[in-house]
Amino acid sequence: MPDGASNLSIVLIGLNHETAPVEIRERLTFGGDRELPFTLIRGILFVREFIFLSTCNRVEVLMTTPDPANAEMEIKKVFTESNGIPLGDFERCLYIYHEEEAAKHLFRVAASLDSMVLGEPQILGQIKDAYRQATDQKTSGVILNRLLHKTFSVAKRVRTETGICSHAVSISFAAVELARKIFADLKGKRAMLIGAGEMAELASEHLISNGVAEIVVANRTLERAIDLAQKFKGRAVSLDEVYDQLSKVDIIISSTGAPGLVINYDNVKSVMRARKNRPLFLIDIAVPRDIDPRTNEIDNVYLYDIDDLKGIVELNKAERQKEALRAERIVEEEVIKFKHWLQALDITPIIVCLREKAEQIRLKECRKTLSNMGSLTPEQEKAVHVLTASIVNKMLHDPITYLKGKSSREHKDIYLDFARQIFNLNGESGDIEEE
Amino acid sequence: MNVILFKLTLLLYLAATAGYLVYIISQQKPAGRVALGVAIAGFFFHTATIIVRYYEAGYAPVTNLHESLSFFAWALIGGYLYIHVRYKVKNLGAFATPIAALSMIASSTLPKKIVALPPVLKSYWLPIHATVYFLAYGILAVAACAGIMYLIQERQIKKKKFGAFYQRLPSLEVLDAINYRCLTIGFPLLTVGILTGSLWAEQAWGAHWQWDPKETWSLVSWLFYAALLHERLAVGWRGRRAAIMAIIGLGALLFTFLGVSLLLKGLHTYAGWGV
């Protein structure tokens, strides 16, 4: 498409967690040198602008090039040679997108539609970092700047207009989300971990970041409890003290390997009076279960076991899938807008646009003035039109000649984009400054 | 003039109700903001309605059913706006404004003509006694709204079945806090209402208390709220039970307000249809 525009193509070449096994992904490190890929890609004759994105789940190069076939070949060479991967293996993992397909892929990645966990938020930050790096290295130009800014606004739109990020899809997050529906605010609340498993640890991290005041850790081996308590600046207690704590804490996450119940119905029932019925949120992620399922029947006690939480996570995943469909629609829309912008980088539409705008202004002003002037003869009226038209034409003559003169230049896209901005030729160009 | 303002208020409350319903369904924030703005405008015009009617009638407009239903709606919206500002809870409006709108619709069907005040009502106690009572009704109605929301939300969390309301309703603790806050405002008002009523009765009828149905029922609902408050403070009743109590309590109040006036005969019958 952009043969008319700048004879430059947009190409995205890359691999991700679905197309490439980890054995390949982990080798694409360029020996840990962050500068090296930039130096190498900059050295490729066929690459004009480029951005290099590397995360643990994907490695991608986005570029503009006058010669896609050769540029792709050279990129593959750079990756395989400096990372010691056979070309055949590497090629099998690759996807290559051109033009609006490349833009679409980038939009999808940024909106986290291409992530392992749908809707996870980190990828957008990673793309922003990659872009910052590219601007530092001055490898990004008019087209990629525009594309990346568009990408950020697409990601933002998807985030605010769809619920793709709003449902917890991990057990520990789901637990915290529930806690926030029971307690208004986790600030000032106290949580107790019984047993010190990995999931309990993860959940406590989320609890802490949501403002929980104190974490009490009870464990069979006190040593491990103390370790963990130190990590969260909390307190360690022995398993025997769990009952005393029942009246003091608000959230309990239990994950012991005990064969029987650690907390039974009567334990909880009897503390509710002392608690003045303050709500108690029990999370039992142990198998076999630690907490008597009947405790859920007590007023103001809410018990969730591992299956309940898994159920929520499954529901939320389905919910995100549904939201993803809406997100895809937004992406499609934005791809079309971007395509229009790209096409508009051609010389003819800009000149047409400029003339149209000038003519519109001229007609509007003439109409205003003529209606104020009262009765003019048709000849006089015509004279006014001729006069204004010739002023407009003379004014536009030089800019248009200038633009036409640049049309064969290699970097004409810069002039064209600039012309658009100076004359404010499309509503679209306004949103480039969004981010 | 007051009737025109009244109609404008009714329209604004209907619009606010519609806005809040759109908001709770679509969850689009602008809808919520617009609805709140319309509700505030409605409250403003409603206040004007009451003041204008006060001047046009020459007495506090809380005497017949048209006036009292309208005043109840005013107190309810006022109570809602106060709680909204204080707790920043979303979607309480979708529960509170429909009740106010309904009350206004009922009020609008009743005779609005200003008639001479019956001699028994000509007293400085009228504005105090009735106003305080309706303020209590308004804020306790908000408590009942929070109670309904609590029961819906609690059921979802207990049964682990999350419907459309789960995301849309606030947390249990906030809803319970609203319930308590409304109770601590509404109950003293209710108490003052009964006391002033009793003083006024002494003046007008020569006895503090005569067990007329309205008196009996207001005592019943007062005792009910007193029990709830006591249990909350002493035993720490909260959550589901408090929510249920708040809803039943409002039922008792509404029966005192409407049921007794319309169904049972007694000294307070002037508060009836107003014909």
Side-chain angles (χ1 to χ4, degrees):
Chain A
M1 164 203 40
D3 342 307
S6 38
N7 304 323
L8 286 179
S9 290
I10 300 177
V11 176
L12 186 143
I13 179 166
L15 49 80
N16 67 14
H17 54 95
E18 269 172 16
T19 64
V22 67
E23 294 80 36
I24 297 280
R25 288 186 342 251
E26 70 190 358
R27 283 162 74 181
L28 293 169
T29 55
F30 293 90
D33 185 349
R34 273 168 70 89
E35 297 281 323
L36 187 59
F38 281 91
T39 323
L40 291 174
I41 300 174
R42 214 198 309 261
I44 301 174
L45 189 60
F46 309 101
V47 175
R48 284 286 174 286
E49 307 172 31
F50 72 90
I51 288 170
F52 174 67
L53 170 71
S54 170
T55 74
C56 47
N57 281 335
R58 67 180 68 244
V59 174
E60 301 191 345
V61 175
L62 174 70
M63 60 185 170
T64 59
T65 165
D67 185 348
N70 276 316
E72 286 159 23
M73 205 54 234
E74 291 294 324
I75 292 275
K76 286 180 205 166
K77 224 189 270 173
V78 161
F79 274 88
T80 48
E81 282 173 8
S82 42
N83 292 304
I85 302 168
L87 183 64
D89 289 356
F90 187 63
E91 275 181 324
R92 259 195 299 280
C93 304
L94 284 183
Y95 43 78
I96 298 177
Y97 296 108
H98 296 104
E99 313 307 350
E100 63 254 36
E101 285 301 314
K104 183 177 167 185
H105 177 78
L106 187 64
F107 291 173
R108 292 188 72 246
V109 170
S112 195
L113 289 166
D114 197 46
S115 303
M116 199 143 73
V117 178
L118 202 59
E120 58 90 12
Q122 285 99 326
I123 183 65
L124 181 58
Q126 289 162 338
I127 294 179
K128 282 184 176 167
D129 285 344
Y131 177 57
R132 199 167 304 128
Q133 217 182 347
T135 48
D136 287 348
Q137 299 270 353
K138 301 198 172 40
T139 66
S140 176
V142 175
I143 294 178
L144 292 192
N145 282 345
R146 172 69 182 201
L147 177 53
L148 267 290
H149 281 120
K150 196 77 209 164
T151 304
F152 300 145
S153 75
V154 172
K156 196 170 158 195
R157 239 194 103 188
V158 166
R159 183 149 313 180
T160 50
E161 290 178 27
T162 74
I164 193 162
C165 304
S166 64
H167 306 275
V169 288
S170 70
I171 302 265
S172 48
F173 251 125
V176 172
E177 209 169 72
L178 268 167
R180 295 176 44 157
K181 277 293 177 189
I182 295 170
F183 306 104
D185 195 343
L186 297 186
K187 289 201 180 67
K189 298 286 182 278
R190 296 147 57 96
M192 173 161 66
L193 304 184
I194 307 176
E198 193 186 336
M199 213 172 329
E201 203 175 324
L202 213 56
S204 342
E205 267 165 31
H206 292 317
L207 287 175
I208 295 264
S209 67
N210 274 285
V212 162
E214 190 188 26
I215 302 256
V216 180
V217 185
N219 198 40
R220 196 165 43 83
T221 55
L222 198 58
E223 204 184 331
R224 170 81 177 125
I226 291 171
D227 271 0
L228 203 58
Q230 256 165 6
K231 185 171 171 197
F232 298 118
K233 299 195 175 62
R235 219 147 43 80
V237 298
S238 73
L239 271 185
D240 303 328
E241 291 170 89
V242 163
Y243 303 126
D244 301 332
Q245 291 296 326
L246 272 184
S247 56
K248 295 174 193 141
V249 298
D250 306 288
I251 300 168
I252 294 176
I253 302 174
S254 194
S255 61
T256 73
L261 292 178
V262 176
I263 296 176
N264 63 40
Y265 181 85
D266 292 329
N267 293 148
V268 179
K269 182 86 187 163
S270 60
V271 297
M272 284 318 279
R273 211 183 156 85
R275 294 181 60 83
K276 289 215 155 195
N277 286 308
R278 273 180 298 115
L280 185 60
F281 182 26
L282 306 173
I283 303 157
D284 184 358
I285 45 185
V287 180
R289 288 181 289 185
D290 285 342
I291 303 175
D292 190 340
R294 285 187 306 141
T295 50
N296 193 46
E297 291 157 20
I298 302 169
D299 253 358
N300 299 308
V301 176
Y302 306 92
L303 168 70
Y304 277 72
D305 65 29
I306 186 78
D307 282 359
D308 298 330
L309 292 172
K310 275 185 185 153
I312 293 174
V313 166
E314 285 313 309
L315 277 179
N316 287 351
K317 279 189 180 155
E319 201 60 38
R320 283 194 177 189
Q321 288 290 351
K322 253 195 287 176
E323 293 298 312
L325 293 179
R326 293 175 55 205
E328 297 280 3
R329 223 166 39 230
I330 292 175
V331 166
E332 296 283 346
E333 255 176 66
E334 298 291 340
V335 167
I336 291 171
K337 280 194 210 158
F338 182 72
K339 201 170 130 189
H340 286 319
W341 179 81
L342 213 51
Q343 279 167 344
L345 273 186
D346 198 0
I347 197 97
T348 330
I350 289 213
I351 293 173
V352 171
C353 223
L354 186 56
R355 286 221 167 98
E356 265 171 13
K357 180 167 183 173
E359 181 66 8
Q360 266 170 19
I361 295 173
R362 188 187 73 79
L363 280 176
K364 198 174 149 205
E365 296 304 316
C366 277
R367 223 176 292 129
K368 243 195 272 174
T369 310
L370 288 175
S371 69
N372 286 339
M373 283 171 73
S375 57
L376 286 184
T377 66
E379 287 80 30
Q380 284 170 322
E381 221 170 274
K382 200 179 162 203
V384 171
H385 278 293
V386 171
L387 166 72
T388 48
S390 79
I391 294 177
V392 165
N393 280 337
K394 292 245 155 73
M395 287 292 295
L396 288 184
H397 180 262
D398 284 342
I400 288 177
T401 322
Y402 175 82
L403 286 175
K404 279 184 176 161
K406 298 292 178 198
S407 67
S408 53
R409 289 288 190 89
E410 197 181 298
H411 291 297
K412 70 169 182 180
D413 46 343
I414 298 174
Y415 300 104
L416 295 179
D417 188 50
F418 198 48
R420 276 194 177 273
Q421 290 187 35
I422 283 194
F423 293 106
N424 188 21
L425 286 182
N426 47 0
E428 255 294 285
S429 63
D431 65 7
I432 194 168
E433 309 299 344
E434 253 170 45
E435 288 286 322
Chain B
M1 181 63 189
N2 76 76
V3 178
I4 299 168
L5 284 170
F6 175 88
K7 284 180 179 159
L8 187 60
T9 307
L10 173 60
L11 282 180
L12 286 169
Y13 284 172
L14 288 173
T17 304
Y20 276 125
L21 292 180
V22 168
Y23 177 47
I24 199 172
I25 293 166
S26 73
Q27 291 182 288
Q28 296 293 319
K29 283 201 178 100
R33 275 199 292 274
V34 169
L36 178 64
V38 174
I40 291 172
F43 184 68
F44 174 78
F45 278 105
H46 205 169
T47 312
T49 309
I50 292 165
I51 293 171
V52 168
R53 192 169 172 102
Y54 177 81
Y55 279 106
E56 285 175 358
Y59 54 81
V62 281
T63 57
N64 62 23
L65 202 54
H66 161 69
E67 290 170 349
S68 20
L69 279 169
S70 157
F71 198 80
F72 167 64
W74 177 83
L76 172 56
I77 293 291
Y80 157 65
L81 290 175
Y82 163 70
I83 292 296
H84 182 90
V85 170
R86 183 119 183 347
Y87 291 92
K88 309 252 179 298
V89 282
K90 59 176 183 180
N91 286 328
L92 179 59
F95 291 80
T97 50
I99 302 179
L102 272 181
S103 179
M104 290 295 274
I105 291 172
S107 168
S108 73
T109 61
L110 296 165
K112 299 174 196 59
K113 236 183 103 204
I114 293 169
V115 291
L117 204 57
V120 67
L121 290 182
K122 278 187 186 146
S123 162
Y124 55 86
W125 286 114
L126 169 67
I128 303 173
H129 170 66
T131 308
V132 162
Y133 244 116
F134 282 114
L135 288 178
Y137 280 23
I139 197 81
L140 291 171
V142 176
C145 289
I148 294 170
M149 291 164 82
Y150 186 97
L151 291 182
I152 298 173
Q153 187 71 307
E154 139 109 17
R155 197 181 156 74
Q156 301 191 78
I157 296 178
K158 265 281 198 229
K159 301 276 174 211
K160 296 155 191 176
K161 290 203 169 59
F162 303 102
F165 275 116
Y166 176 67
Q167 291 293 340
R168 292 173 166 84
L169 293 184
S171 67
L172 295 179
E173 201 173 50
V174 165
L175 290 169
D176 192 55
I178 293 174
N179 188 318
Y180 181 58
R181 158 70 42 167
C182 291
L183 188 63
T184 54
I185 299 173
F187 182 72
L189 288 172
L190 214 52
T191 312
V192 173
I194 282 207
L195 290 178
T196 52
S198 168
L199 291 173
W200 186 10
E202 214 283 311
Q203 237 174 41
W205 299 320
H208 284 295
W209 199 268
Q210 310 184 58
W211 297 107
D212 120 280
K214 194 125 192 162
E215 289 173 356
T216 312
W217 275 97
S218 43
L219 185 65
V220 168
S221 29
W222 183 86
L223 284 172
F224 189 84
Y225 278 107
L228 172 56
L229 191 61
H230 173 263
E231 293 297 299
R232 273 204 96 113
L233 293 175
V235 193
W237 260 32
R238 61 168 79 216
R240 201 165 61 90
R241 283 189 206 180
I244 293 172
M245 292 281 276
I247 297 167
I248 299 177
L250 182 71
L253 283 185
L254 287 182
F255 185 75
T256 314
F257 170 27
L258 299 172
V260 174
S261 305
L262 304 180
L263 304 176
L264 308 175
K265 292 268 171 278
L267 294 167
H268 275 79
T269 38
Y270 48 79
W273 295 108
V275 188

